[in-house]
């Protein structure tokens, strides 16, 4: 029995579709309906089992409010490189985080914040908390030592 193994690029593009779809809070059924396929076909696209034709990828990009190139970018908007896609040693930690439930919830909530000053305050707070943890301090200490209150 010949079991089809997904191509690394097909899997990567599918994962980017899944991440973008989830970030927008869209179901597989809704995406499938809008691009004219079954939700099972969307599942196969997202797993990299089935390849996506150019016109279908263009339509998916339109429905997900992005460009087709988004599906081929690796961290910092770099073009997709085949090398490094096949192993977990080269996994992008940001992409991995965005695939988690916490990553999706955090990003959805952050996108709803329109005030740039509040966004900057949140980034400063999270940065301070991360630095404190890397130095072995408690998160409570990093919040107390923060020189930039959230209200400013």
């Amino acid at each position: 029995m010949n079991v089809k193994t997904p191509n690394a690029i097909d899997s990567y593009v599918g994962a980017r579709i899944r991440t973008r779809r989830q970030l927008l809070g869209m179901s597989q059924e809704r995406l499938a309906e809008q691009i004219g396929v079954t939700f099972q076909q969307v599942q196969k696209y997202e797993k990299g089992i089935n390849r996506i034709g150019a016109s279908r990828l263009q339509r998916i990009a339109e429905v997900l409010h992005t460009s087709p190139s988004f599906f081929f970018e690796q961290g910092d908007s770099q073009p997709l490189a085949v090398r490094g896609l096949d192993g977990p040693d080269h996994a992008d930690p940001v992409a991995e985080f965005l695939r988690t439930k916490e990553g999706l919830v955090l990003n959805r909530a952050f996108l709803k914040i329109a005030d740039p000053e509040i966004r900057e305050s949140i980034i400063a707070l999270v940065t301070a908390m991360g630095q404190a943890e890397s130095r072995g301090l408690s998160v409570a200490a990093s919040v107390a030592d923060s020189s930039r209150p959230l209200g400013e």
Side-chain angles (χ1 to χ4, degrees), residues 43-97:
Q43 287 176 335
K44 290 178 181 181
Y45 288 155
E46 291 182 356
K47 291 178 182 177
I49 295 169
N50 287 3
R51 290 189 174 164
I52 306 168
S55 60
R56 177 74 37 88
L57 188 62
Q58 175 66 40
R59 180 65 186 139
I60 291 170
E62 289 170 2
V63 170
L64 297 178
H65 309 291
T66 191
S67 67
S69 65
F70 167 83
F71 303 117
F72 296 93
E73 294 172 350
Q74 286 180 303
D76 296 335
S77 299
Q78 296 296 316
L80 182 62
V82 177
R83 196 172 344 139
L85 287 180
D86 51 358
D89 295 339
H90 304 289
D92 177 7
V94 175
E96 291 298 319
F97 175 68

Side-chain angles (χ1 to χ4, degrees), residues 94-112:
V94 175
E96 291 298 319
F97 175 68
L98 287 174
R99 287 188 195 103
T100 68
K101 183 178 179 181
E102 292 169 329
L104 289 169
V105 169
L106 182 63
N107 278 283
R108 282 186 193 143
F110 190 80
L111 288 172
K112 290 179 182 177

Side-chain angles (χ1 to χ4, degrees), residues 1-39:
M1 183 172 165
N2 187 3
V3 177
K4 183 179 177 185
T5 303
N7 176 283
I9 293 175
D10 295 331
S11 294
Y12 183 82
V13 169
R16 296 281 290 179
I17 290 170
R18 179 175 186 264
T19 299
R20 180 69 181 172
R21 177 184 58 76
Q22 289 180 327
L23 187 61
L24 296 174
M26 184 181 290
S27 68
Q28 287 180 331
E29 292 85 2
R30 184 165 170 230
L31 176 59
E33 180 182 297
Q34 295 206 9
I35 65 172
V37 298
T38 64
F39 81 91

